[in-house]
Every structure is written in C-alpha cells, then in structure tokens.
C-alpha cells in the first residue's frame, strides 16, 4: 500500500485503488485516502478524494453511502468554487445524475425529496449552461420507477429530443435505458434494435455491454431467438461475474436460467454470490435478486424438489421450499417499502409478476457443464390415486404388446411389463405367460437366462415348440454375451439341429426357424470377437451362419417385419466380418445394404448403429462427405428412440466432421447438442468434457471469444490427462489462452499458456512447447510483466534454436529487444548482450547465418523477408530510442543508424520483387521520414517519388496502395514546406 506524502502520491494511490475489484475493501481504502487527503491541507486533494470515494461507492453494493460525500462536495462548491479545477467541476455536475438514481434506489428517501432534487439538478445545470437532456433522463427514471406511464413517456420524448452535451450519459448507457423502456412496454424487437450498437461493441463503458446483455435475455426468449439468448448469457455472465455492483444484472442471468429449464445452473450462480442474499446497501437490486431467488425456488418445488438443500443466506442451511418462502417475504417487504414511498403499487406488481413467471423454453442447452435437469417427482399418493382411477383393459394391453413385439417396435418390453402388472391376480393362458416371461428375460439381460427357459416351457405348454426353441436360443446367446461362448455353442448346436428337423416336418414356421439360426450366427460372431479365439476358422463359421440365415429367409419375408430384420442383420454381420478382414470398401457397401434394409422394413432405429459404422469407415477411406451423410442419417433414423449417450456420440462425431470441413457454425451446434446429451446421460466428466472442448474450439474459430472462454473453462473442470489425454488438456488451455488474449485478459491468458507449456515441456516433439512459451511471453508483455515476458521469450528462443526454427528465434529476439527498450535496459546494460540494440542485432545475424546455410528456394525467400522485417524493426527501435535521448548529437547518431537499417530493409525487400511491394514501400516511406528528421528534404522527396512510381498503374481498389500513395503525398508536402522554411 503506497504511503501518502504529497498530492502526487495521493493521486497514484487513488489510481491504484480504482483498479482494485469492486467491493467493501476498495471502499474502505477510499475512506482512508480521504483521511490522508485532509492531512495535506490542499483543497483540491480533498475534492479529488471525495470524488474518488463517490465513484467507488457508486460501483459497489454500498451505493447508499454516496450521499454524504456528495453533500460535502456540493457545500465546498457553493462556498469556494475557485478550489475546483475544470475536471472536478465537470465531475461534480456529472454525479448529480448518480444522486437522483441513487435516491430512487433507497426507499427511505422520500419521493418529495427526489422531486426537489430534480429541480435542484435542473437549476444547477441551467446555470452551468448544460442541456436539459440529463435532467429529462433523470425525470424519466423517476416516472418509470413509480409507474407513471404518461409522465414517463413525456420525459422520454423530451430526453431524446434534447441536445447531447458533456453531461449526457454515454451512448451505451442511454441506449440501455431506452431499450429497457421499450421492453417494459412490450416492444421487444424495438428494444433489441436500440441495443444493437451496444451489443455489437460500437458503444461501451464500465457497465456496458454488461447490463444490455443481461436485459436482452428475456426479450430474446420471448421472440424465440434462443441461440442469441444463449450467447448473450454466456458472454454477459462472464462480464458481471466479478463485478459486485451488478446484482441486478446477475439476477437477470439467474432469471434466464429458470426460464430456460436450467435450474441447476441457476443454483450454481446463487452459490457463487452468497453476499447477494444479505447486502443491504442497495435495496433495489436486492429486491430484484430476491425476486428471482423466489422464482427459482418455486420452480424447484414444482419439480418435486422442495426438500433439496440449496445455497442461501449463510446463517443456516436451506431447503428450496424454505428459501422460496424467505425470498418471497423479503422481496415483497422491500417492494412494499418502495410503494409506500412512491404512493403506488407498481413495484409490488412488478415483483409479483417476476416471481410468477413460467419457463419460456423447455430446456435450452448452454454448452457449459451443469447437472442434468431435475426430474419431476410424482408424489406416491398421487400415483396411487391414478392407478385406482384407471382400470386397464387387459385384452387391449395384450393386443398392443403383441403388436409392438411382432413389429419390433420400441417399447415392446415395457408393454409386456405393463401386461404383467395388469394381470396380477388374473389367470392368463400359457401363450400370454410365455410372452411375458420371454420379454422379461430380454429386459433382464444377463440375469434372464433362467426366465428364457421358463418362457420355453410355457411356449411348449401352449403348443408352439418352434417358439420354445427360439426362446432357448435367445438364452444361449445371452450366455455368450456373459463370456460363456463354448457353452453357448454347445447349446445352440442342439437347438439348431432340432429346429431344422422340425421345420422340415412343417412342425414350426419360418419365423421361429430364422430366430434360432440368427441366435446361432450371433453366438458365432461373438466367438469371432473373443480375442483369444479370433481365427480365420471362427470368422468363416460366422460367415457361413450369416449366409445360412439369408438363404433361409431371403425372398420369403413378405410383409413380415421380423423376417426382414433377419435379412438386414445378417448383411450387417457380413459387413462386420469384411471390416475385420480389412476389406473396408466391401464392409461399407454391406453396412449400407443393412441400413437400407432396416429402413425399408420400417425399422430405421435399427439402422443407427450401421450408419455410425459407415461413418467410421468413410472417415478411414478419406470420404468426409459420406461420413457426414451417414451421421446425419443415424441421427434422423434414431429420432426419439436414441438414448442420450448415443445421441451425444453421434452429434460429437458429426461436429468433428463438419469442423474438419471448415463449417464451424454448424459444427458448434452439434457440439452443443453433444454436450447437452452427455450431461443428460450422466457423462459430463467424460463425453461431455470432449464435447465442450470441441464446442469451445468452434466458437473460437467464429470469433465468439467470451462464449468460447466460458465453455472452455467449463470443459477444463473435467478434462484430465488420464481420461482424455494430455494433448486435449494442452489444446484446451491453448484455445482458452487465445480467447483471454482477445478479451484483453492478458495476465490470465499468460497463466493458461504457461500451464499448457509446462505439460508440453515433457513431450518428445517440442514445437508446441516453444509456441506456447512464445505466446505466454506475448501475454506477459501485454500484461505489463516485462521481466517475466523477457524470461519467457528467452525460453522460447532457446527452444526455437534447438528446433532449428530461425523464424521463431528471430521473432523472440526482436520481442525481447522491444521489451528492453520499454524498460530502459539498454542504458543499464551499457551496450551489453541484453540491451535492445544488441538483441535486435542478434536477430539480424541469425537471419544472415540461416540464409548462408539454406538451399531451398521457398525457404530462402521466407528468410529474406524475415531479414527485411528485422532491419525495419531495428530501424524503428533505434528511432524510438532517439526520441528519449536528451543529447542532440546522440539523437542524430541514432537517427543515422535507424536510416541505415531501414535502407537495408528497402534493399532486402526489393530483392523479393513484387511479392514484397508493400513491405518495400513501407520501408521506403519510413526512410523518407528519417531523411526529413535529419533535415534532408531532397532525399526525403526522392523516396516519396519512388513510392509513387512503384504504384504507377496499380489498381485503385488496392487499399495498401492508396494508403502508401497518400502518405507519400503527405511527405512531399511536408518536405516542400521544410525546404521553403
């Protein structure tokens, strides 16, 4: 903490405090600085310290503290206006607006006092010669707050009609207020039109686009623009997360989570800000926050989760139901205080309306990791009442279950289970009981072997020996799935012989016979997949069995869905055997046939697996278009029958294929779906992390850096070297570093890049390590950590040298030279190896040495260009250092050296011909300005004319050419004036 000894040190301390995070600690420091300012006996010091205190209070949860320092400032102004400088006069009038809004936010301030203040503000603005725009804006805020629509509309019109001057709010804040009013009046599209310049980055300020992004969420949802709403949530929440003063905007994001079926994320947001439940310094934002807390808790209670423990005020533990009651009571009590002050019911009505909202979207996937949506819980008594009221029609249930199973429809197993429940206490015939047992066995999987035997006995009792053999065959296949392949083969051999004999005697039908033969083929395929038994003989046996199914059924299936499915499955077996034998093209053709057969039989959901296999084979064959087609078909065929995990995998594979084709927008959509379904499947830590990693990369490619950063940070929670590989972790850190760099969060970007570099340091190939070290150095430099940046560049340079990458080495040396210049190291080093000129000279020498050794023409041209850029940067560095030197002769000497370097750059670029035209003319112009600085107007003019000649006949549409011509013309004008003087 800086010691305050004079006015300058006070100003430095206030500037440092202004950079600290919002909150009580910063406010407390501002109070200390005011005490220190009072000791200096300098009126302006006290005025500036009071202004600083006002600012930090305004941007915190303690806004109510603003009134005392402002009253003191106003009294000082009235008593001794000469103590205020121009900036503080402006600031004093500026914060009048903060006072009016601050009074509205505090229900203990009477409405009459606020109206009086408006009059005072208008009077003082008029005396100071300011427009009434800010005054009318403040009046609009008062009218809108109390619900006086007519007055609000009048003030709104007057606000927009008044001239903008230095007291008007910034464009971003004004547009936020205007759009907010349109949304309040039900004009969502107009609100978004007004907000567009802020959302697009044309207008920004300390709290924008933060609040516009938050305010836009519900209007976007109401308009059905859910993709934009999702993007605004990810982008906007990142902005408000660390800003204590933005409780109202934070509440909008919680509100969004409730309205989009993301209740679990809403709980996570509440857990991040426990102080928001109790901070009382800004009652208005507390009202907004507690209203959405009540909304979320009521929603959880409606989902049957009222007893779930939830984050709340820190004095105790809370269930959702308890917190709902507490938050509602607090919100309505606050609203009542405002309404009592305002003499209306407007605030209470708004609070109740917010707490009574209903979701606008069933479930909007966000891409960031969150728990699966809570499942509604049906109370036991309600379920019992339902069962008593509905008496199932048992014959109808049996008929429906038989229809589903005969046509292989999804839900057949569940339908027979429903029959079983409805038949309790009812005597069924043997056939019905057989089918119930058979489907129960299918449902149990490995535990159903005994039930298959029971079903077989019942089928025999019902007089269907063929179906009995089929049931036993199914049981044998289940044993094979359990690893008992030999036992299963022994059992199926006996069943196979019996069914063929029975079929020959017309003792059973084609369907039953095909079922036994298919079970045999499945068991033989299982033997093929047993690693220790994967012999050519086993493959041949499986192929013979599959072809036997085809020989039996092909051409005889008619309208029988089960028989059509046997044909398709047998073709799929042949495809799999072809793939195992290395016949990729043959396998692809057979899988395509199998898929088409299932679709043709009206069973598209069975084709999903084979389309997915086709996609993998297409990828192997280098056919991304076919891979894309197959994956799209798999998703289409699966429809609502796909399980969450399978759906996630297909979407993720399609995202990767589309991303590989450069279609990053559609790829991002599928990666988003993959992340959502992985979460639904309970695979957030595995498949979900992969999906989020890919989604973040696709968003990064689109330049959606804030969204990408949120998603990548979420992915890193679950990504691990053990599960996903250290390459995935490094790539994610790398992408995140790129995002943070684009967002201006350079220190954080450096941390991510250094973490990735530390992992890559252990890899055999060191190119990624070098690149990450170099990128980390860039971030450290942008963050102002120059010493650390120099170390990182040095580390990267060593790696580039080891790798033989001259371009990387040269660029690291140049970067270190610029860092040295900024830090003044060249003076301290007194011409040593680490001075700025010495480092740049080393870069030149590295280029020259590499050129002597290179024999590849393309590599030589790249090195020549690198040498030209290095000479050019050397010149710029020398010229920059000269401007800081107090000795005229030293300045002239440095400029002469700079001219020498840039002249060499011109020559180097000239050797590359037209490919380096713009680089050459840029260097030529830089040389001309140096000639002018050295009082050589003729030489400067000659260089300008050379540039104009170089562009003679060049297309006017060439922007670089236009810029060079314009600069050359400007140079000629300057040197002519210089020559005349």
């Amino acid at each position: 903490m800086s010691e305050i000894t004079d006015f300058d040190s006070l100003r430095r301390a206030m500037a440092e405090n202004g950079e600290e995070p919002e909150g009580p600690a910063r406010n407390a420091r501002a109070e200390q600085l005011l005490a220190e300012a009072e000791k200096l006996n300098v009126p302006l010091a006290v005025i500036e310290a009071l202004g600083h205190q006002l600012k930090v209070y305004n941007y915190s949860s303690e806004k109510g503290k603003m009134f005392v320092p402002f009253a003191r400032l106003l009294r000082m102004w009235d008593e001794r206006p000469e103590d205020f400088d121009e900036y503080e006069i402006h600031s004093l009038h500026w914060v009048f607006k903060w006072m009016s809004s601050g009074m509205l936010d505090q229900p203990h301030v009477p409405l009459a006092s606020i109206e009086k203040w408006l009059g005072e503000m208008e009077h003082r603005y008029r005396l100071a010669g300011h427009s009434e725009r800010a005054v009318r804006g403040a009046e609009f805020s008062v009218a809108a707050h109390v619900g006086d629509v007519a007055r609000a509309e009048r003030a709104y019109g007057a606000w927009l009609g008044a001239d903008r001057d230095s007291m008007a709010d910034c464009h971003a804040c004004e547009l936020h207020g205007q759009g907010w009013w349109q949304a309040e009046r039900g004009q969502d599209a107009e609100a978004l039109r007004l907000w567009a310049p802020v959302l697009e980055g044309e207008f920004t300020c300390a709290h924008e686009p933060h609040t516009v992004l938050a305010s836009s969420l519900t209007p976007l949802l109401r308009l059905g623009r859910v993709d934009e709403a999702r993007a605004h949530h990810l982008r906007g929440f990142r902005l408000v997360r660390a800003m204590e003063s933005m409780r109202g905007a934070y509440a909008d994001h919680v509100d969004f989570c409730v309205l989009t079926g993301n209740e679990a994320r809403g709980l996570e947001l509440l857990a991040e800000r426990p102080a928001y439940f109790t901070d009382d310094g800004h009652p208005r934002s507390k009202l907004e926050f507690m209203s959405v807390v009540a909304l979320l808790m009521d929603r959880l209670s409606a989902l049957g989760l009222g007893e779930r423990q939830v984050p709340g005020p820190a004095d105790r533990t809370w269930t959702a139901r308890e917190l709902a009651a507490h938050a509602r009571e607090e919100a309505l009590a606050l609203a009542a205080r405002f309404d009592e002050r305002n003499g209306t019911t407007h605030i209470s009505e708004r609070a109740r309306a917010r707490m009574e909202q209903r979701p606008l979207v069933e479930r909007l996937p966000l891409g960031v990791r969150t728990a699966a949506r809570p499942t509604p819980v049906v109370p036991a008594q309600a379920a019992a009442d339902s069962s008593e009221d509905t008496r199932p029609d048992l014959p109808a249930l049996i008929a429906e279950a038989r229809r589903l199973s005969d046509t292989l429809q999804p839900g057949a197993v569940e339908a027979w289970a429903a029959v079983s429940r409805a038949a309790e206490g009812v005597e069924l015939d043997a056939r019905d009981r057989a089918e119930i047992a058979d489907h129960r066995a299918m449902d149990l999987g490995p535990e159903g072997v005994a039930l298959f035997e029971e079903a077989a006995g019942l089928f025999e009792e019902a007089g269907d020996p063929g179906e009995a053999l089929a049931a036993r065959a199914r049981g044998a296949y289940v044993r094979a799935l359990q690893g008992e392949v030999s036992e299963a083969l022994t059992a199926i051999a006996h069943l196979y012989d019996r069914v063929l004999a029975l079929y020959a005697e017309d003792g059973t039908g084609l369907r039953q016979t095909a079922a036994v033969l298919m079970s045999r083929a499945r068991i033989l395929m299982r033997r093929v997949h047993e690693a220790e038994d994967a012999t050519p003989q086993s493959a041949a046996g499986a192929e013979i069995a599959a072809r036997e199914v085809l020989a039996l059924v092909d051409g005889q299936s008619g309208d029988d869905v089960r028989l059509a499915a046997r044909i398709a499955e047998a073709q799929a077996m042949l495809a799999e055997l072809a793939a195992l034998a290395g016949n990729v093209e043959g396998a692809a053709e057979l899988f395509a046939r199998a898929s088409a057969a299932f679709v043709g039989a009206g069973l598209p959901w069975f084709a999903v697996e084979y389309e997915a296999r086709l996609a993998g084979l297409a990828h192997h064959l280098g056919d991304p278009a076919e891979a894309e087609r197959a994956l799209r078909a798999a998703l289409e065929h699966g429809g609502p029958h796909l399980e969450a995990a399978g759906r996630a995998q297909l979407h993720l594979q399609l995202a990767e294929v589309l991303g590989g084709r450069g279609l990053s927008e559609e790829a991002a959509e599928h990666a988003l779906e993959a992340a959502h379904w992985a979460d639904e499947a309970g695979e957030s830590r595995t498949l979900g992390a992969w999906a989020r990693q890919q989604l973040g990369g696709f968003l990064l490619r689109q330049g959606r850096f804030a969204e990408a950063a949120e998603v990548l940070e979420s992915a890193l929670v679950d990504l691990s070297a053990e599960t996903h590989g250290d390459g995935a972790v490094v790539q994610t850190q790398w992408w995140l570093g790129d995002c943070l760099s684009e967002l201006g969060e350079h220190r954080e970007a450096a941390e991510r890049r250094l973490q990735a570099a530390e992992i890559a340091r252990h890899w055999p190939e060191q190119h990624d390590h070098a690149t990450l070290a170099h990128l980390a150095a860039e971030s450290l430099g942008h963050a102002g950590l120059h010493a650390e940046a120099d170390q990182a560049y040095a580390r990267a340079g060593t790696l580039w040298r080891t790798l033989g990458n001259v371009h990387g080495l040269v660029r690291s040396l140049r970067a270190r030279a610029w860092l040295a210049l900024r830090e003044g190291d060249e003076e301290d080093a007194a011409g040593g190896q680490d001075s700025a000129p010495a480092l740049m000279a080393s870069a030149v020498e590295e280029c020259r040495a590499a050129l002597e050794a290179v024999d590849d023409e393309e590599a030589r041209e790249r090195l020549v260009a690198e040498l030209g850029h290095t000479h050019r940067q050397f010149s710029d560095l020398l010229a920059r250092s000269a401007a800081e030197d107090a000795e005229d002769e030293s300045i002239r000497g440095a400029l002469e050296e700079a001219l020498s370097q840039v002249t060499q750059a011109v020559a180097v670029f000239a050797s590359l011909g037209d490919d380096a035209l713009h680089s050459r003319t840029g260097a030529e112009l830089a040389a001309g300005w140096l000639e002018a600085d050295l009082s050589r107007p003729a030489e400067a003019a000659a260089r300008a004319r050379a540039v104009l000649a170089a562009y003679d006949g060049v297309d006017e549409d060439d922007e670089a050419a236009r810029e060079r011509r314009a600069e050359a013309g400007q140079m000629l004008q300057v040197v002519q004036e210089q020559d005349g003087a």
Side-chain angles (χ1 to χ4, degrees), residues 477-525:
Y477 176 53
V478 170
R479 293 183 68 183
L481 291 176
Q482 292 178 272
E484 301 175 15
V485 177
S486 297
E487 295 84 347
L489 284 169
T490 300
I492 201 67
H494 173 65
L495 298 169
Y496 170 75
D497 291 338
R498 285 184 62 191
V499 81
L500 286 179
L502 196 62
Y503 182 61
E505 299 168 357
D506 291 331
T508 192
L510 180 61
R511 178 189 283 189
Q512 291 78 12
T513 307
V516 176
L517 266 62
M518 180 53 74
S519 290
R520 178 172 175 264
R522 289 171 177 169
I523 293 168
L524 288 166
M525 284 296 297

Coordinates of all heavy atoms in Angstrom, one line a residue, residues 477-525:
Y477 N -27.7 -67.2 -26.4 CA -26.9 -66.0 -26.9 C -26.6 -65.1 -25.7 O -25.5 -64.6 -25.6 CB -27.8 -65.3 -27.9 CG -27.1 -63.9 -28.3 CD1 -25.8 -63.9 -28.8 CD2 -27.8 -62.7 -28.2 CE1 -25.2 -62.7 -29.2 CE2 -27.3 -61.5 -28.6 CZ -26.0 -61.5 -29.1 OH -25.4 -60.3 -29.4
V478 N -27.5 -65.0 -24.7 CA -27.2 -64.2 -23.5 C -26.0 -64.8 -22.8 O -25.2 -64.1 -22.2 CB -28.5 -64.1 -22.6 CG1 -28.1 -63.6 -21.3 CG2 -29.5 -63.3 -23.3
R479 N -25.9 -66.2 -22.7 CA -24.8 -66.8 -22.1 C -23.5 -66.5 -22.8 O -22.5 -66.2 -22.2 CB -25.0 -68.4 -22.1 CG -26.1 -68.8 -21.2 CD -26.2 -70.3 -21.1 NE -25.0 -70.9 -20.4 CZ -24.8 -72.2 -20.3 NH1 -25.7 -73.1 -20.8 NH2 -23.8 -72.7 -19.6
A480 N -23.5 -66.4 -24.1 CA -22.4 -66.0 -24.9 C -21.9 -64.6 -24.6 O -20.8 -64.2 -24.4 CB -22.6 -66.1 -26.4
L481 N -22.9 -63.7 -24.4 CA -22.6 -62.3 -24.0 C -22.0 -62.2 -22.6 O -21.2 -61.3 -22.4 CB -23.9 -61.5 -24.0 CG -24.6 -61.2 -25.4 CD1 -25.9 -60.4 -25.2 CD2 -23.6 -60.4 -26.3
Q482 N -22.2 -63.2 -21.8 CA -21.6 -63.3 -20.5 C -20.2 -63.9 -20.5 O -19.6 -63.9 -19.5 CB -22.5 -64.1 -19.5 CG -23.8 -63.4 -19.2 CD -24.7 -64.3 -18.3 OE1 -25.4 -65.1 -18.7 NE2 -24.5 -64.1 -17.0
G483 N -19.8 -64.3 -21.7 CA -18.4 -64.9 -21.8 C -18.4 -66.4 -21.9 O -17.4 -67.0 -22.1
E484 N -19.6 -67.0 -21.8 CA -19.7 -68.5 -21.8 C -19.9 -68.9 -23.3 O -21.0 -69.5 -23.6 CB -20.8 -68.9 -20.9 CG -20.7 -68.6 -19.5 CD -21.9 -69.0 -18.6 OE1 -22.7 -69.8 -19.1 OE2 -22.0 -68.4 -17.5
V485 N -19.0 -68.6 -24.1 CA -19.2 -68.8 -25.6 C -19.2 -70.3 -25.9 O -20.0 -70.8 -26.7 CB -18.1 -68.1 -26.4 CG1 -18.2 -68.4 -27.9 CG2 -18.1 -66.6 -26.1
S486 N -18.3 -71.1 -25.3 CA -18.2 -72.5 -25.6 C -19.5 -73.2 -25.2 O -20.1 -74.0 -25.9 CB -17.0 -73.1 -24.9 OG -15.8 -72.6 -25.4
E487 N -20.0 -72.9 -24.0 CA -21.3 -73.4 -23.5 C -22.4 -73.0 -24.4 O -23.3 -73.9 -24.7 CB -21.6 -73.0 -22.1 CG -20.5 -73.5 -21.1 CD -19.3 -72.6 -20.9 OE1 -19.1 -71.8 -21.8 OE2 -18.6 -72.8 -20.0
A488 N -22.4 -71.8 -24.9 CA -23.5 -71.3 -25.7 C -23.5 -72.1 -27.1 O -24.5 -72.4 -27.6 CB -23.3 -69.8 -26.0
L489 N -22.3 -72.3 -27.6 CA -22.1 -73.0 -28.9 C -22.7 -74.5 -28.7 O -23.3 -75.0 -29.7 CB -20.7 -73.0 -29.3 CG -20.2 -71.7 -30.0 CD1 -18.7 -71.7 -30.1 CD2 -20.9 -71.4 -31.3
T490 N -22.4 -75.1 -27.6 CA -22.9 -76.4 -27.4 C -24.4 -76.4 -27.4 O -25.0 -77.3 -28.0 CB -22.3 -77.0 -26.1 OG1 -20.8 -77.0 -26.2 CG2 -22.8 -78.4 -25.8
A491 N -24.9 -75.5 -26.6 CA -26.4 -75.4 -26.5 C -27.1 -75.1 -27.8 O -28.1 -75.8 -28.2 CB -26.8 -74.4 -25.5
I492 N -26.5 -74.2 -28.6 CA -27.1 -73.8 -29.9 C -27.0 -74.9 -30.9 O -27.9 -75.0 -31.8 CB -26.6 -72.5 -30.4 CG1 -27.5 -71.8 -31.4 CG2 -25.2 -72.7 -31.0 CD1 -28.8 -71.3 -30.7
A493 N -26.0 -75.7 -30.9 CA -25.9 -76.8 -31.9 C -27.0 -77.7 -31.8 O -27.6 -78.1 -32.8 CB -24.5 -77.5 -31.7
H494 N -27.4 -78.1 -30.5 CA -28.5 -79.0 -30.3 C -29.9 -78.3 -30.8 O -30.7 -78.9 -31.5 CB -28.6 -79.3 -28.8 CG -29.8 -80.1 -28.5 ND1 -30.1 -81.4 -28.9 CD2 -30.9 -79.8 -27.7 CE1 -31.2 -81.8 -28.5 NE2 -31.8 -80.8 -27.7
L495 N -30.0 -77.0 -30.5 CA -31.3 -76.3 -30.8 C -31.3 -76.2 -32.4 O -32.4 -76.2 -32.9 CB -31.3 -74.9 -30.2 CG -31.3 -75.0 -28.6 CD1 -31.1 -73.6 -28.1 CD2 -32.7 -75.5 -28.1
Y496 N -30.2 -75.9 -33.0 CA -30.1 -75.7 -34.4 C -30.6 -77.0 -35.2 O -31.4 -76.9 -36.1 CB -28.7 -75.4 -34.8 CG -28.3 -75.4 -36.2 CD1 -28.7 -74.4 -37.1 CD2 -27.6 -76.5 -36.8 CE1 -28.4 -74.4 -38.5 CE2 -27.2 -76.5 -38.1 CZ -27.6 -75.4 -39.0 OH -27.3 -75.5 -40.3
D497 N -30.1 -78.1 -34.7 CA -30.5 -79.4 -35.3 C -32.0 -79.6 -35.2 O -32.7 -80.1 -36.1 CB -29.7 -80.6 -34.7 CG -28.2 -80.5 -35.1 OD1 -27.9 -79.9 -36.1 OD2 -27.4 -81.1 -34.4
R498 N -32.5 -79.4 -34.0 CA -33.9 -79.7 -33.7 C -34.8 -78.8 -34.5 O -35.8 -79.2 -35.0 CB -34.2 -79.5 -32.2 CG -33.6 -80.6 -31.3 CD -34.0 -80.4 -29.9 NE -35.5 -80.4 -29.7 CZ -36.1 -80.0 -28.6 NH1 -35.4 -79.6 -27.6 NH2 -37.5 -80.1 -28.5
V499 N -34.5 -77.5 -34.6 CA -35.4 -76.6 -35.3 C -35.4 -76.9 -36.8 O -36.5 -76.8 -37.5 CB -35.0 -75.1 -35.1 CG1 -33.9 -74.6 -35.9 CG2 -36.3 -74.2 -35.3
L500 N -34.2 -77.2 -37.4 CA -34.2 -77.6 -38.8 C -35.1 -78.8 -39.1 O -35.8 -78.9 -40.1 CB -32.8 -77.8 -39.3 CG -31.9 -76.5 -39.4 CD1 -30.5 -76.8 -39.9 CD2 -32.6 -75.5 -40.4
A501 N -34.9 -79.8 -38.2 CA -35.8 -81.0 -38.3 C -37.2 -80.7 -38.2 O -38.1 -81.2 -39.0 CB -35.3 -82.0 -37.3
L502 N -37.6 -79.9 -37.3 CA -39.0 -79.5 -37.0 C -39.5 -78.7 -38.2 O -40.7 -78.9 -38.6 CB -39.1 -78.7 -35.7 CG -40.4 -78.5 -35.1 CD1 -41.0 -79.8 -34.7 CD2 -40.3 -77.6 -33.9
Y503 N -38.7 -77.8 -38.8 CA -39.1 -77.0 -39.9 C -39.3 -77.9 -41.1 O -40.3 -77.7 -41.9 CB -38.0 -75.9 -40.2 CG -38.4 -75.0 -41.4 CD1 -39.5 -74.2 -41.3 CD2 -37.5 -75.0 -42.5 CE1 -39.8 -73.4 -42.4 CE2 -37.8 -74.1 -43.5 CZ -39.0 -73.3 -43.5 OH -39.2 -72.5 -44.6
A504 N -38.5 -78.9 -41.3 CA -38.6 -79.8 -42.4 C -39.9 -80.6 -42.4 O -40.4 -81.0 -43.4 CB -37.4 -80.8 -42.5
E505 N -40.4 -80.8 -41.1 CA -41.6 -81.6 -40.9 C -42.8 -80.7 -40.9 O -43.9 -81.2 -40.5 CB -41.5 -82.4 -39.6 CG -40.3 -83.4 -39.6 CD -40.0 -84.0 -38.2 OE1 -40.7 -83.5 -37.3 OE2 -39.1 -84.8 -38.1
D506 N -42.6 -79.4 -41.2 CA -43.7 -78.4 -41.0 C -44.2 -78.3 -39.6 O -45.4 -78.0 -39.4 CB -44.9 -78.8 -42.0 CG -44.5 -78.6 -43.4 OD1 -43.7 -77.7 -43.7 OD2 -45.1 -79.3 -44.3
G507 N -43.3 -78.6 -38.6 CA -43.7 -78.5 -37.2 C -43.5 -77.1 -36.7 O -44.0 -76.9 -35.5
T508 N -42.9 -76.3 -37.4 CA -42.8 -74.9 -37.0 C -42.6 -74.0 -38.2 O -42.5 -74.5 -39.4 CB -41.6 -74.7 -36.1 OG1 -41.6 -73.4 -35.5 CG2 -40.2 -74.8 -36.8
G509 N -42.7 -72.7 -38.0 CA -42.7 -71.8 -39.1 C -41.3 -71.2 -39.4 O -40.3 -71.4 -38.7
L510 N -41.3 -70.4 -40.5 CA -40.1 -69.7 -41.0 C -39.6 -68.8 -39.9 O -38.4 -68.7 -39.7 CB -40.3 -69.0 -42.3 CG -39.2 -68.3 -42.9 CD1 -38.0 -69.2 -43.2 CD2 -39.6 -67.6 -44.2
R511 N -40.5 -68.0 -39.3 CA -40.0 -67.0 -38.3 C -39.3 -67.7 -37.1 O -38.2 -67.2 -36.7 CB -41.2 -66.3 -37.7 CG -40.9 -65.2 -36.7 CD -42.1 -64.6 -36.0 NE -42.8 -63.7 -36.8 CZ -43.7 -62.9 -36.4 NH1 -44.1 -63.0 -35.1 NH2 -44.3 -62.0 -37.2
Q512 N -39.8 -68.8 -36.6 CA -39.2 -69.4 -35.4 C -37.8 -70.0 -35.8 O -36.8 -70.0 -35.1 CB -40.1 -70.5 -34.9 CG -41.3 -70.0 -34.2 CD -42.4 -69.6 -35.2 OE1 -42.3 -69.9 -36.4 NE2 -43.4 -68.8 -34.7
T513 N -37.8 -70.6 -37.0 CA -36.5 -71.2 -37.5 C -35.5 -70.2 -37.7 O -34.3 -70.3 -37.3 CB -36.8 -72.0 -38.8 OG1 -37.9 -72.9 -38.7 CG2 -35.6 -72.7 -39.3
A514 N -35.9 -69.0 -38.3 CA -34.9 -68.0 -38.6 C -34.4 -67.4 -37.3 O -33.2 -67.0 -37.1 CB -35.6 -66.8 -39.4
A515 N -35.2 -67.4 -36.2 CA -34.8 -66.9 -34.9 C -33.7 -67.7 -34.3 O -32.7 -67.2 -33.8 CB -36.0 -66.8 -34.0
V516 N -33.8 -69.1 -34.4 CA -32.8 -69.9 -33.9 C -31.5 -69.8 -34.7 O -30.4 -69.7 -34.2 CB -33.3 -71.4 -33.9 CG1 -32.1 -72.3 -33.5 CG2 -34.5 -71.6 -33.0
L517 N -31.6 -69.7 -36.1 CA -30.4 -69.6 -36.9 C -29.7 -68.3 -36.7 O -28.5 -68.2 -36.7 CB -30.8 -69.7 -38.4 CG -30.7 -71.1 -39.0 CD1 -31.6 -72.1 -38.3 CD2 -31.0 -71.1 -40.5
M518 N -30.5 -67.2 -36.4 CA -29.9 -65.9 -36.1 C -29.2 -65.9 -34.8 O -28.1 -65.4 -34.6 CB -31.0 -64.8 -36.1 CG -30.4 -63.4 -35.8 SD -29.0 -63.0 -36.9 CE -29.9 -62.6 -38.5
S519 N -29.8 -66.6 -33.8 CA -29.1 -66.7 -32.5 C -27.8 -67.4 -32.6 O -26.8 -67.1 -32.0 CB -30.0 -67.4 -31.5 OG -31.1 -66.6 -31.1
R520 N -27.8 -68.5 -33.5 CA -26.5 -69.2 -33.7 C -25.5 -68.3 -34.4 O -24.3 -68.3 -34.0 CB -26.8 -70.4 -34.6 CG -25.6 -71.3 -35.0 CD -26.1 -72.5 -35.8 NE -24.9 -73.3 -36.2 CZ -24.4 -73.2 -37.5 NH1 -25.0 -72.4 -38.4 NH2 -23.4 -73.9 -37.8
A521 N -25.9 -67.5 -35.4 CA -25.0 -66.6 -36.1 C -24.4 -65.6 -35.1 O -23.3 -65.2 -35.1 CB -25.7 -65.9 -37.2
R522 N -25.3 -65.1 -34.2 CA -24.8 -64.1 -33.2 C -23.8 -64.7 -32.3 O -22.8 -64.1 -32.0 CB -26.0 -63.6 -32.4 CG -27.0 -62.7 -33.1 CD -28.2 -62.5 -32.3 NE -29.2 -61.6 -33.0 CZ -30.4 -61.4 -32.5 NH1 -30.9 -62.0 -31.4 NH2 -31.2 -60.5 -33.2
I523 N -24.0 -66.0 -31.9 CA -23.1 -66.6 -31.0 C -21.7 -66.8 -31.7 O -20.7 -66.6 -31.1 CB -23.6 -67.9 -30.4 CG1 -24.8 -67.7 -29.5 CG2 -22.6 -68.7 -29.7 CD1 -25.7 -68.9 -29.2
L524 N -21.8 -67.2 -32.9 CA -20.5 -67.4 -33.7 C -19.8 -66.1 -33.9 O -18.6 -66.0 -33.9 CB -20.9 -68.1 -35.0 CG -21.2 -69.6 -34.9 CD1 -21.9 -70.1 -36.2 CD2 -20.0 -70.4 -34.5
M525 N -20.6 -65.0 -34.1 CA -20.0 -63.7 -34.2 C -19.3 -63.3 -32.9 O -18.2 -62.7 -32.9 CB -21.0 -62.6 -34.6 CG -21.4 -62.6 -36.1 SD -20.1 -62.2 -37.2 CE -19.8 -60.6 -36.8

